[in-house]
Amino acid sequence: MATKSKKKAKIEIENNEDPQDKPVGVMPTEEEGPEVKIEDLPGVGPATAEKLREAGFDDLLALAVMSPGDLADQAELGEAVATKIIGAAKKMANIGGFVSGDALLERRREVLKLSSKVQSIDDLLGGGFETQALVEVYGAFGSGKTQIGHQLAVNCTLPMSEGGFDGDVFYIDTEDTFRPERITQMARGHGLDPDAVLSRIHVARAYNSAHQMLLVDEIKRMSKGLNVKMIIVDSLTSHFRAEYIGRGMLANRQQKLNRHLKDLKQLADVNNALVLVTNQVHSKPDAMWGDPTKPIGGHVLAHASTFRLYLRKAKAGRRIARLVDSPNLPDGECVYQVTQDGLRD
Ligand code: GTP
Ligand code: MG
């Protein structure tokens, strides 16, 4: 026994793989070791693997973070089978417990930052919009939320050397305000080919909140072969707000919203991507409850957002963005402009 393991260790060293080099507790990345496929999970035969892939689950991490009921629904499996698959995926993906601070730091090192190409905004955000994060942009009507969504969609397609992600964008449009013409203007503003940019922005109109939630699953299905780096939901809350009216519906609405946000955050983590959602503020300043400068969505959204940006209009066509409640950056404000070519200092 002892000689055997010694021999193995020797072979590894001869292969220049110092076992001491491996950080402990880090989530396995694609570069590390042979890739474990979903077929390698106990109990997953070719037919089940096919069902899982069709439902958009093609790696262990995506499975490990699911709840049995949801996986059973989405992949059309029995709940007992789903429970077993999730358990096995958790073990094999090694994400079941605590990780050390240095392992977390390692994961943080994978975080990329998308440049807004507006110096003052990038400075406010410590270099740009982070991946593995959910960014909420909120403000009154016409404050420029949709403009930020369009601009970042364009910037996401820029090469890494220019502050972009060379990535594909999924845009869930709930208010019918996505405008390809505006993308064209902004692409030209960066000297990019508008058609090339538009071909990397995948847009779906969501007709109600249930459809909006289903579109997240559709993103999982469609993302194969794409470099998904950004998901935009503009607006996150409008359908929920319109459909769940009154105090009696509030708990139900918040539960659904929470579920939706978790699904979005999962996409951000699995793809090392950025999720950007827009949100309105309470619109009736004279109402008994509801501060007119407070975003809607309550604690659920406040808790889910990694960064919150509050937009408002200022004099002479200028805009102000305020960073609120960041985990690692000071609160602050910056000024920028919306021009025909896009956002500018
Ligand atoms: P709601 O969705 O209604 O809540 O508003 P929003 O916050 O999404 O506002 P949006 O991003 O749509 O901002 C609209 C504003 O952007 C307009 O009032 C204009 O001031 C500005 N804007 C939009 N397109 C252009 C453009 O081509 N040129 C310039 N200069 N400004 C533009
Ligand atoms: Mg808008």
Side-chain angles (χ1 to χ4, degrees):
M1 217 32 197
T3 34
K4 209 175 175 185
S5 63
K6 242 187 213 161
K7 202 171 168 190
K8 191 161 175 265
K10 194 160 169 262
I11 290 167
E12 275 171 3
I13 288 162
E14 274 169 9
N15 284 344
N16 270 338
E17 277 179 72
D18 185 351
Q20 306 270 297
D21 269 358
K22 288 256 153 80
V24 181
V26 178
M27 270 193 253
T29 60
E30 278 142 50
E31 298 84 50
E32 278 173 39
E35 199 194 335
V36 186
K37 295 200 288 285
I38 55 175
E39 283 88 351
D40 301 330
L41 294 171
V44 177
T48 310
E50 182 63 33
K51 274 188 180 175
L52 289 170
R53 288 223 164 79
E54 259 173 30
F57 300 99
D58 52 4
D59 63 51
L60 297 189
L61 188 56
L63 286 169
V65 295
M66 291 300 288
S67 75
D70 292 338
L71 182 62
D73 272 359
Q74 290 177 31
E76 294 170 3
L77 301 167
E79 199 156 324
V81 177
T83 308
K84 219 170 132 187
I85 292 175
I86 291 166
K90 273 185 181 151
K91 269 190 205 132
M92 292 176 85
N94 189 24
I95 53 159
F98 288 92
V99 292
S100 55
D102 58 337
L104 278 182
L105 188 61
E106 192 68 28
R107 178 129 171 88
R108 285 281 305 161
R109 284 202 187 103
E110 290 174 14
V111 167
L112 303 168
K113 289 182 181 177
L114 177 64
S115 174
S116 64
K117 293 289 198 175
V118 177
Q119 195 62 48
S120 63
I121 299 180
D122 286 358
D123 289 347
L124 184 68
L125 291 169
F129 290 78
E130 286 188 2
T131 58
Q132 297 172 31
L134 194 139
V135 179
E136 177 196 349
V137 175
Y138 71 92
F141 300 110
S143 57
K145 305 179 290 290
T146 299
Q147 297 304 309
I148 289 212
H150 280 61
Q151 183 70 68
L152 292 180
V154 171
N155 294 7
C156 183
T157 70
L158 282 167
M160 306 284 280
S161 59
E162 289 176 39
F165 292 160
D166 189 14
D168 292 276
V169 180
F170 281 94
Y171 200 115
I172 300 180
D173 179 14
T174 73
E175 299 181 313
D176 205 11
T177 52
F178 179 83
R179 292 290 176 274
E181 303 89 310
R182 193 69 185 119
I183 297 291
T184 298
Q185 288 177 335
M186 289 174 167
R188 292 217 173 98
H190 285 335
L192 297 169
D193 170 15
D195 292 336
V197 172
L198 282 166
S199 73
R200 301 194 76 175
I201 304 175
H202 312 274
V203 188
R205 174 84 207 281
Y207 293 98
N208 55 44
S209 66
H211 186 209
Q212 182 179 332
M213 292 175 77
L214 277 177
L215 285 170
V216 177
D217 298 332
E218 193 58 25
I219 294 174
K220 279 188 225 157
R221 259 190 288 277
M222 283 185 62
S223 58
K224 255 174 266 170
L226 298 177
N227 182 28
V228 183
K229 279 284 165 250
M230 185 168 182
I231 299 103
I232 300 172
V233 188
D234 181 23
S235 126
L236 176 79
T237 42
S238 57
H239 282 317
F240 289 94
R241 191 188 203 182
E243 290 163 27
Y244 296 87
I245 301 160
R247 293 246 139 187
M249 300 285 264
L250 195 60
N252 199 357
R253 181 186 92 181
Q254 293 303 85
Q255 198 186 355
K256 286 270 161 53
L257 194 57
N258 194 26
R259 178 59 225 279
H260 187 39
L261 286 163
K262 278 192 174 151
D263 289 347
L264 287 166
K265 186 65 189 1
Q266 187 190 326
L267 279 180
D269 288 341
V270 172
N271 295 295
N272 193 19
L274 156 68
V275 173
L276 186 98
V277 303
T278 69
N279 187 19
Q280 276 98 20
V281 291
H282 292 281
S283 59
K284 287 188 201 145
D286 54 333
M288 291 273 286
W289 43 277
D291 180 341
T293 67
K294 282 251 156 52
I296 65 173
H299 291 305
V300 162
L301 185 50
H303 183 73
S305 312
T306 324
F307 299 97
R308 317 189 91 184
L309 273 183
Y310 174 40
L311 306 187
R312 56 190 207 278
K313 280 187 180 175
K315 280 181 195 145
R318 287 184 300 178
R319 314 270 157 172
I320 299 169
R322 160 177 277 276
L323 180 67
V324 187
D325 298 339
S326 154
N328 58 339
L329 294 167
D331 287 5
E333 285 191 347
C334 73
V335 181
Y336 64 98
Q337 284 189 327
V338 180
T339 72
Q340 165 137 357
D341 289 340
L343 309 191
R344 293 292 181 267
D345 271 301

